[in-house]
Amino acid sequence: MPTILRDVDRLVSGGYLEDRRIGRSRLIRANTAHPLFHPLREIVLYGYGPEVVLAQLLEDVADVQDAYIYGSWAARANGVPGHDPQDIDVLVIGHADNGALYDLAKRATDAVGKEVNVRQVSQERWESGNDGFMTTVRSRPLIRVLEPPQ
């Protein structure tokens, strides 16, 4: 705990974090005005963000059985060389409301700073061995967004 407090103090004194006190509590938050805020945010989001953001947003969408990030984002995250992805492709398996998925894509795009494209397929199509698109998606790197049902 003392080490964490020292690190927080250093980040506050460097201007990366802001703090304020309410009674005995100390509230800490990122200093969005710091010139390095946006580049650091991009680094954190690139490494950890999309699947966390998408998982949280998908919690509010009914009739979603599973979801995966696929395409170039999943490939780069799995070590496949190539250019930085311009967008994030998400495959939602289920029968969710299209309006809810549109809203999810917009909110995710705003949160991660890259366009998020959501495509929905049924469980039957996902499991089909005769669908060329599904076969291609399953044969390439995937990042599971939702935990499998227990």
Side-chain angles (χ1 to χ4, degrees):
M1 189 71 136
T3 303
I4 294 171
L5 292 174
R6 276 194 300 273
D7 288 340
V8 168
D9 288 339
R10 287 183 191 130
L11 291 168
V12 168
S13 68
Y16 297 96
L17 298 176
E18 297 174 335
D19 67 341
R20 69 182 175 118
R21 295 202 180 266
I22 297 179
R24 294 181 56 185
S25 298
R26 183 180 183 194
L27 304 177
I28 308 292
R29 71 178 187 151
N31 178 3
T32 58
H34 192 282
L36 292 178
F37 171 78
H38 291 288
L40 288 171
R41 180 180 184 271
E42 289 295 315
I43 290 169
V44 171
L45 283 174
Y46 190 86
Y48 302 102
E51 48 272 40
V52 173
V53 168
L54 289 164
Q56 290 173 347
L57 292 174
L58 281 166
E59 287 177 0
D60 298 332
V61 180
D63 298 321
V64 173
Q65 282 77 49
D66 215 340
Y68 297 90
I69 296 173
Y70 69 99
S72 57
W73 187 277
R76 296 310 158 270
N78 281 280
V80 177
H83 295 289
D84 185 45
Q86 298 301 305
D87 60 3
I88 300 168
D89 298 310
V90 180
L91 185 69
V92 171
I93 300 163
H95 297 283
D97 176 71
N98 287 331
L101 293 179
Y102 176 82
D103 290 342
L104 175 138
K106 182 174 179 353
R107 291 172 59 201
T109 295
D110 292 344
V112 300
K114 286 191 184 280
E115 183 178 349
V116 174
N117 304 303
V118 177
R119 181 172 184 161
Q120 179 172 217
V121 298
S122 67
Q123 185 74 38
E124 298 77 26
R125 184 171 179 203
W126 172 245
E127 294 171 354
S128 170
N130 300 328
D131 187 304
F133 175 68
M134 292 299 103
T135 302
T136 300
V137 168
R138 283 194 310 271
S139 72
R140 296 188 177 152
L142 294 170
I143 299 171
R144 183 174 237 145
V145 175
L146 298 176
E147 290 297 317
Q150 301 295 333

